[in-house]
Amino acid sequence: MMRTALIATLALTAGAVHFANGSPAGASAYLFLATLLLCMSIYSRSMRRQNYWLSLTGLVEAWFIFDYCAYGTAVSVLERSKTPLPASMDEAYARTYLVGALAFLAFACGAHAGFAYARLGRGARSAVQALIAAIRARRHAFRSQRLQRAVYLIFTAAGVLSIVVLLLDPESRQQLFFDHVGLSPRAGMGRYTSLLFMLPTTAVGLWYLSQAKRRYSRVLTMAGLFLIAAIHLSCGRRLMWAGTMLLIFHLCKVRGIFTLRARYLVVALPLVLLVSLWMEATKNVGWYAAADAIDVRALTDGDRVFDMVDNSVGRFDTTAALIANRESLPYYYGETFLMAPLQILPVSAGFERSRGVREELGELIYGAFGQGLVSQEASLVGELYANFSYCGVLAGFLGVGFGAAFLDGRCHRDRHPMVALGYGLCLFRVVHQLATASTSWFPLTFLAFLPWLCALAVAQAPWRARR
């Protein structure tokens, strides 16, 4: 009931703001808000027993509410956008809300089907199959976890080594501590930074697999895990930091250490905003000088809050630009998604390093694309439309809704270590994948899941059965 009341209040407030200010989005904005209110009831019953903020379906829904109800309303009413639009603002924003309504409708239908299929799968599994699986799992549980811990230990050690290598490089050290609050390594150092991004998730996974029968102070445990998650902040990766926190909260909930509630989010929101504003205000200052730039009064500065959201997670305006650009530019027809796996390969492999829609946005915003340029990210909605128009958005979010709901139905409360870790990794990556282009999120998602996949493969290798 609280979720329904909150969403209804936000939607009605957004509609009132659009109406009172003569929003250029016009009727399409009201269509999206009506679609949101009507379609969220399709899968609401299946979400009643789930922690909203630690479920994939809840996070996708929350992203739609934020990007269209909150950020989209602000951009439309204030008529401000960091992205030049190749069409009139009225036409661009109206089409963006129309595409958003289609995406949310597809997501809701997919989620309904995913929850139904998850319930069907649980019911169809016979008691005999469950008993056989339990016997096999118990037989190999200790050895499997020992092997899995070893894999995570290796990846954690590699991540620590990556920090050492980066700090031994004078140019990276200068950039990290003096030039910039984030880390964009020079040519040839990118692979080490990728290992650095892998470190928090592998360290958390190692901790989780090592705590089956050990009890430590909850305060010290939470403080240590938060410190591990903060490694992403050193690289200016706010979305990845937030995602790692979701992973940590999920594992702590499964372990019985801490359960994330809405009231805790309300208390933590000012701190999250302050950290994000501090990072936004000190991008070109460096960590040593950044400590002097902390200003609590920044939370009351609407322009600075808007800029922080605009540069970190707000994607409504870039989505509008990609949609409007299709009038003059051709569709990609899947090219941007096909290029995404190439981003995990070294530059020396000789493959083209095109960034797809990110290059298009860079050219549109700055007239060029380069490492020093920021805010070039596109949402999944925009990328799907830029590839396959309305059909791509419909098919893509049917898949997103089905996958999110199916995993929620099957894995949300599962306490098996590797299932809980895999589901936690999905929570870690979902927001980043909604708010960035595939050429950005695919390499980092691959690296996040790589230790988990290796641990599964090693623990279930055929040679184990013969020993």
Side-chain angles (χ1 to χ4, degrees):
M1 289 298 294
M2 180 181 295
R3 165 181 166 268
T4 303
L6 178 61
I7 294 175
T9 301
L10 290 173
L12 293 174
T13 301
V17 172
H18 277 285
F19 180 78
N21 293 273
S23 169
S28 294
Y30 306 124
L31 175 63
F32 173 82
L33 297 173
T35 302
L36 174 65
L37 292 174
L38 292 174
C39 291
M40 70 176 186
S41 61
I42 295 177
Y43 54 88
S44 291
R45 186 175 181 180
S46 301
M47 291 189 63
R48 287 179 182 173
R49 298 180 60 191
Q50 297 191 9
N51 187 313
Y52 183 83
W53 298 104
L54 295 179
S55 68
L56 296 171
T57 310
L59 289 173
V60 177
E61 179 186 90
W63 181 84
F64 270 106
I65 293 171
F66 166 79
D67 203 48
Y68 285 87
C69 281
Y71 179 71
T73 298
V75 169
S76 300
V77 169
L78 297 175
E79 298 187 7
R80 58 178 290 181
S81 172
K82 65 177 177 289
T83 311
L85 298 172
S88 68
M89 185 172 290
D90 293 19
E91 180 184 354
Y93 286 175
R95 289 185 65 187
T96 304
Y97 269 112
L98 182 62
V99 172
L102 176 64
F104 190 79
L105 174 62
F107 165 74
C109 294
H112 176 72
F115 279 124
Y117 190 74
R119 289 193 296 270
L120 178 65
R122 284 199 302 268
R125 188 179 184 184
S126 68
V128 176
Q129 288 176 316
L131 179 61
I132 293 174
I135 293 174
R136 289 178 177 175
R138 187 170 298 178
R139 184 188 303 170
H140 301 298
F142 176 76
R143 191 171 184 180
S144 294
Q145 286 202 19
R146 185 172 61 184
L147 288 170
Q148 288 159 352
R149 282 196 296 268
V151 172
Y152 271 91
L153 179 61
I154 292 172
F155 277 98
T156 303
V160 173
L161 181 62
S162 73
I163 296 179
V164 175
V165 172
L166 280 170
L167 293 181
L168 288 176
D169 176 64
E171 188 172 335
S172 297
R173 200 165 56 241
Q174 171 73 20
Q175 184 185 63
L176 180 62
F177 291 116
F178 298 99
D179 295 341
H180 200 283
V181 77
L183 181 63
S184 298
R186 61 183 175 85
M189 298 292 287
R191 301 304 98 189
Y192 299 112
T193 310
S194 297
L195 290 173
L196 179 62
F197 291 150
M198 196 189 299
L199 174 59
T201 53
T202 53
V204 170
L206 178 62
W207 164 79
Y208 183 72
L209 288 174
S210 302
Q211 300 303 310
K213 297 182 180 179
R214 300 180 187 178
R215 298 292 180 186
Y216 297 112
S217 166
R218 294 189 178 189
V219 175
L220 292 178
T221 299
M222 297 294 289
L225 293 175
F226 289 174
L227 184 62
I228 292 173
I231 292 176
H232 287 305
L233 287 178
S234 68
C235 299
R237 300 276 182 163
R238 284 168 287 192
L239 281 179
M240 293 187 66
W241 168 62
T244 309
M245 294 297 292
L246 292 175
L247 166 65
I248 289 170
F249 284 134
H250 171 68
L251 296 182
C252 288
K253 181 197 71 172
V254 172
R255 187 67 77 195
I257 296 175
F258 176 82
T259 301
L260 182 65
R261 304 292 185 190
R263 58 181 178 271
Y264 301 139
L265 284 174
V266 173
V267 173
L269 185 60
L271 178 61
V272 174
L273 284 175
L274 183 60
V275 170
S276 296
L277 284 168
W278 174 42
M279 296 183 68
E280 187 66 30
T282 59
K283 273 187 173 179
N284 298 302
V285 176
W287 286 111
Y288 289 160
D292 298 329
I294 300 178
D295 185 4
V296 179
R297 291 173 298 179
L299 291 176
T300 62
D301 188 339
D303 288 335
R304 295 183 69 179
V305 173
F306 189 90
D307 289 340
M308 179 270 296
V309 173
D310 200 37
N311 289 329
S312 56
V313 71
R315 298 291 182 260
F316 183 87
D317 49 354
T318 57
T319 301
L322 287 173
I323 292 173
N325 266 0
R326 303 285 65 82
E327 296 292 333
S328 57
L329 296 176
Y331 288 94
Y332 289 94
Y333 295 111
E335 181 183 352
T336 65
F337 296 108
L338 292 175
M339 289 189 299
L342 300 180
Q343 308 305 313
I344 66 176
L345 301 176
V347 178
S348 58
F351 290 98
E352 183 181 358
R353 306 291 290 181
S354 173
R355 301 300 195 274
V357 291
R358 295 183 64 203
E359 290 188 356
E360 179 181 327
L361 290 172
E363 292 285 347
L364 189 64
I365 300 172
Y366 307 106
F369 179 88
Q371 192 177 42
L373 305 179
V374 294
S375 306
Q376 302 156 340
E377 287 296 351
S379 68
L380 180 60
V381 176
E383 187 171 11
L384 285 171
Y385 187 92
N387 278 274
F388 302 109
S389 188
Y390 293 100
C391 294
V393 174
L394 178 63
F397 275 91
L398 277 172
V400 169
F402 182 88
F406 178 78
L407 290 173
D408 284 342
R410 284 292 185 90
C411 307
H412 188 71
R413 293 182 180 83
D414 200 315
R415 294 178 179 274
H416 186 280
M418 295 308 291
V419 175
L421 275 171
Y423 182 74
L425 287 171
C426 292
L427 293 174
F428 166 51
R429 297 302 304 147
V430 62
V431 177
H432 197 250
Q433 293 181 189
L434 289 169
T436 59
S438 59
T439 51
S440 294
W441 63 253
F442 184 88
L444 300 180
T445 298
F446 172 79
L447 291 170
F449 277 89
L450 181 61
W452 182 76
L453 292 172
C454 290
L456 280 179
V458 169
Q460 299 180 10
W463 54 264
R464 290 182 59 254
R466 296 194 297 265
R467 291 186 60 177

